[in-house]
Amino acid sequence: MSNSTTYAERLGQIGLDIALYIDIITFIFGITGCIGNLLVFTSRRLRKSSAATYLLCTALSQLITILVCIQLRVFYDRSGSNLQNQSAVFCKFRYYVAIALPALASNYMMLAAFDRYISTSDNARIRAWNQTKVVNRLAIGTLVITLLMSIHIPILFSIFRNFCQIQPESVYTYIYGGYLIIVVILTPHILMFIFSVLTIFALRKSRQRVAPAIKDNRVSNRQRTLELKLIQIIVIQVFVSVVSSSLRFGSASYRTIIFVIIPPTVNAKAAQAFAERVGSSLYFLNYATSFYTSMIISQYFRKTFYERIRFFYRRYIGQVLQRNSSH
């Protein structure tokens, strides 16, 4: 066995182990955090905000991604099963959900950042984009478009040469690489970042309009405070998401672009696979941090969460305990 092969195998095993630990943390804390986000963003006080709709969709998309994609990574990848390279149906399903579900979560977060930007606009027509009717249509449209945009994946992925992959030497290999890098990773995160920066600049210029337009153009202090707190929460989550996606973007770009120009060595392939595997795990770890980050930085978020916990305790657990004690 050569030194290169030994190094590549050792690096591959280290990558699997690191990814496993990160994925387990994501699975445990991510499910808890997403449920916490769902509790907060379904509260009565947040229903008036258009951003809460996008954040609710984001949390739901992240929860589904964790339950499907992370569970497959944690349990299937370590089971030793070769089903992915034997069943074309499972092959198509896994690659589709691995791309479509994270893209859906990113797109909803992008819409949340866009919503906060237009809420700071002085133009009433622009602010009209965060009316409830428009927000609901954008949320549904994003769901449909995102899922349809990835439909080419189950069509063109299959079992080739005993592996789940695109047909070797096919032009779709480059199309898929470009789609993954530009459409799924790069574009939504660039737009998130731009909208967040523009929102910060807009708030520095004027703090008078940070809520949807109403007939008399007057916004209550309570609603204004809510919108400002949501801006804070969204901007922090966007920056965390952008940072966490950097390694995934870099490694995927390197594989798609550089490997086509320069034939990779065994060590180069191992290093790229290590970076992409760990980068993907770190990207999904972002789903487990949003709730806890919001709990740390936002007193408003903490207050709303504790109120929701008390509400569910009194509404369900308290009634059951009271009913049992009466018997």
Side-chain angles (χ1 to χ4, degrees):
M1 182 179 295
S2 65
N3 291 333
S4 296
T5 304
T6 302
Y7 169 82
E9 291 181 350
R10 185 164 61 248
L11 189 61
Q13 186 59 49
I14 293 173
L16 284 173
D17 292 339
I18 293 175
L20 174 64
Y21 297 140
I22 297 175
D23 289 342
I24 290 175
I25 293 173
T26 302
F27 188 77
I28 296 173
F29 291 96
I31 291 176
T32 305
C34 287
I35 293 175
N37 282 332
L38 291 175
L39 288 176
V40 172
F41 298 132
T42 53
S43 64
R44 182 175 298 177
R45 67 167 65 185
L46 288 177
R47 291 174 192 166
K48 298 178 181 179
S49 174
S50 54
T53 300
Y54 295 130
L55 290 172
L56 180 63
C57 292
T58 301
L60 188 58
S61 301
Q62 291 176 343
L63 179 60
I64 295 173
T65 301
I66 291 173
L67 290 174
V68 178
C69 299
I70 302 300
Q71 191 167 202
L72 282 173
R73 287 167 63 94
V74 171
F75 297 106
Y76 172 79
D77 287 351
R78 308 295 292 196
S79 67
S81 173
N82 196 36
L83 181 62
Q84 180 173 297
N85 296 323
Q86 296 174 341
S87 170
V89 174
F90 184 73
C91 164
K92 295 172 182 292
F93 169 77
R94 182 165 189 191
Y95 269 92
Y96 177 74
V97 298
I99 300 299
L101 294 182
L104 188 61
S106 297
N107 288 340
Y108 278 130
M109 180 56 68
M110 178 189 66
L111 284 177
F114 171 72
D115 179 88
R116 293 302 81 195
Y117 166 64
I118 63 176
S119 71
T120 60
S121 174
D122 293 329
N123 190 318
R125 291 184 178 180
I126 295 177
R127 293 200 309 276
W129 277 80
N130 57 17
Q131 292 178 352
T132 303
K133 183 187 297 185
V134 178
V135 169
N136 291 337
R137 289 176 179 175
L138 283 176
I140 296 173
T142 299
L143 172 65
V144 174
I145 293 173
T146 302
L147 296 181
L148 286 178
M149 284 182 64
S150 298
I151 202 67
H152 57 93
I153 296 174
I155 294 175
L156 295 173
F157 266 84
S158 191
I159 309 298
F160 296 103
R161 300 176 183 174
N162 298 322
F163 285 101
C164 175
Q165 59 181 336
I166 305 167
Q167 185 174 3
E169 302 176 359
S170 169
V171 67
Y172 177 67
T173 303
Y174 307 103
I175 297 175
Y176 171 74
Y179 174 78
L180 177 63
I181 295 171
I182 298 174
V183 178
V184 176
I185 303 177
L186 189 60
T187 299
H189 287 89
I190 286 179
L191 291 177
M192 284 183 212
F193 182 80
I194 291 174
F195 290 139
S196 297
V197 171
L198 291 176
T199 301
I200 293 172
F201 285 151
L203 286 177
R204 287 183 177 181
K205 292 181 179 179
S206 174
R207 291 177 175 269
Q208 295 180 352
R209 283 179 175 168
V210 289
I214 53 179
K215 290 183 180 180
D216 58 1
N217 289 327
R218 295 177 182 177
V219 182
S220 66
N221 289 332
R222 180 178 298 179
Q223 184 69 13
R224 183 179 304 154
T225 300
L226 166 62
E227 301 297 336
L228 286 170
K229 296 300 181 183
L230 285 174
I231 287 175
Q232 181 188 35
I233 292 170
I234 290 171
V235 168
I236 294 296
Q237 289 190 17
V238 164
F239 279 98
V240 172
S241 180
V242 170
V243 172
S244 65
S245 66
S246 58
L247 182 58
R248 184 190 184 203
F249 168 73
S251 57
S253 301
Y254 191 86
R255 170 175 51 81
T256 304
I257 300 173
I258 303 300
F259 280 6
V260 174
I261 302 174
I262 304 173
T265 63
V266 174
N267 286 352
K269 282 186 177 180
Q272 186 279 328
F274 172 86
E276 188 165 4
R277 183 176 291 111
V278 175
S280 295
S281 294
L282 289 175
Y283 177 77
F284 287 124
L285 181 64
N286 167 55
Y287 295 173
T289 60
S290 60
F291 170 76
Y292 306 101
T293 303
S294 299
M295 288 287 286
I296 293 172
I297 67 172
S298 175
Q299 182 181 1
Y300 186 88
F301 189 94
R302 291 195 301 272
K303 181 180 178 181
T304 304
F305 176 70
Y306 294 145
E307 287 178 354
R308 294 291 282 168
I309 293 296
R310 287 193 292 268
F311 169 78
F312 277 95
Y313 179 82
R314 291 194 301 266
R315 182 74 176 271
Y316 300 104
I317 300 177
Q319 289 184 1
V320 172
L321 294 176
Q322 185 178 4
R323 200 177 299 123
N324 292 337
S325 61
S326 64
H327 290 301

